[in-house]
Amino acid sequence: MGEAPSIFVRRSSGLVREVYPKDSFIYNIYFTAYFTALVFVYLIALYVVPAEALVPGLILSTFLFTFQVLVYSLMSIAMPRSGGDYVIISRALHPFLGFISSWNWFIWLAFWFAFGGYTFSSVALSTMFLTLGLVTGNPSLVSIGDMLAEPIPALIVGTLIMLAFLVMTSFGLGRFIKIQLITFIIGFIGILISAVYLALCDPKTYAETLNRLISQYAGTPDPYNAIINAAKGLGWGPERVYGYTAEHLIKVLPAAYLAVPWTMGTVFIAGEVSQPKRAQLIGGIGGLAFIGGLTVILAFLLEKAMGIEFFSAFSYLFYNPPQGLSIPIKPYFNTLAFLIIENPFLNIWANLGFIFLGWMYMAQNLLNDSRLLFAWSFDRLIPEKFAEVSERFKSPIYALLTVFIIAEVFLFAIIFVPELQVISSIMALSFSVIIMSLAAIFFPYRKRDLFERSGISWRVAGIPLISLLGLASLIVNLISNYYWITDPNYGAVNDISVMAMLLVIVVGILIYVLGIYRLKRRGIEPSKIYTELPPV
């Protein structure tokens, strides 16, 4: 009888620790898909709470999200291996929950990699040409912006940008980190340009600029007040602007969830992070402070520059389109902000900032998904081919290519089955966070020896700190889920989204069962795999 295969694919992962604390900071900021998601944070929040509650609600949300980010950061410090929550939950809680949670991440990261390809053309480039055409008075640029939102151009541009990210990440994480740094510097300068213009603007100046730029398209000489009046005619009023309660502040939380609490991308590549304790905390909490702070500052500046009533009214019309009023722009914060940047060079730079901080997440999704495939394969749950690492580039090439192929299928589906564009994965991702929070709660009690030597064995009044953070993170996520389920204005629950979430879980269960069956057929006892951490 032949000798049973070893538990893991090999004695070393083959991955290299080449991500340092500053790299972790930028990586985690990019992982939030910040500007892509922030567009909808403001729109949703202004639709469910009075506008005056936006800024203080965002401040409160950022504080509450600290628990979630700390859970991921500290658990990654305890188990610094690539593979995201799969390695952590499978060892701290149960292998089944570890796989289901990570499979959930895998599918939705691939979906949003594809969605990024679609919106890179239909939102990012389209907005850039549209605003540049408006501020320069060039109708041809406006037409190009409209054309880029059409299905075929979106498919072509989307595929090309996805291919670009595949090539970019295949040459190794170290090379990508250098590209990441350059784009972040350019993007941050773009943010500063936008912030300065907003800070120097007032509602009177904004109204004059808006009217001058879009009146020929809107069919009225005063689009600014026409927007406010149209909103009033559809039920918008002062109660949507002024005065708020404590519950209003809490109700900002489920909207902010789209963009703010996701500064934990390096958890997926933890085996490639140097100085893990410092890097994960700087990347996680430092990234959250940056994202949360910027979200608050931009909200304040937008309300100050445009006028809080206009900001609220225009956002209201996004959900209640008026009849007889043609507005060539949507109330996306970037479009509203860039209209006042009439210097073409600075306008392009601001748009680049929006693109880099809004779409570089595609690289993180591709990288992180490839590490999930790698980790499953390293545990022999799926074919070992996905754990192969290129000796030259130190990257799992087959895993990266597989994610790209899956995402390309999603891209076709998103473009040619428009119903998929309304899918909300926010509750699905919260499902994985809830499982991770439970893992944090029970980790010190289920894996006492590992906890004691983990470097995070701190206690408060005799209770493990990680357990308290897990409980707090669980409560915050349950609050968000309550509002998503009970208030349809958040747009988190619709038939297609619920069906998609359930389908992902069912398929994940089937793959896990087949994986366990495969292990046993090969003479490997699954329990032996999950009692120890994979090799570094």
Side-chain angles (χ1 to χ4, degrees), residues 40 85 168 189 226 229 283 325 328 341 356 411 415 444 446 463 472 508:
F40 299 101
D85 60 353
M168 191 186 305
I189 294 172
N229 292 331
L325 179 62
I341 307 175
F356 286 147
L411 178 63
I415 291 175
R446 289 182 53 82
I463 302 174

Side-chain angles (χ1 to χ4, degrees), residues 97 142 369 428 456:
L97 293 175
V142 175
D369 256 3
I456 62 164

Side-chain angles (χ1 to χ4, degrees), residues 33-52:
Y34 181 52
F35 277 159
T36 304
L38 189 62
V39 166
F40 299 101
V41 169
Y42 293 150
L43 285 172
I44 294 171
L46 290 172
Y47 197 59
V48 297
V49 303
E52 281 191 334

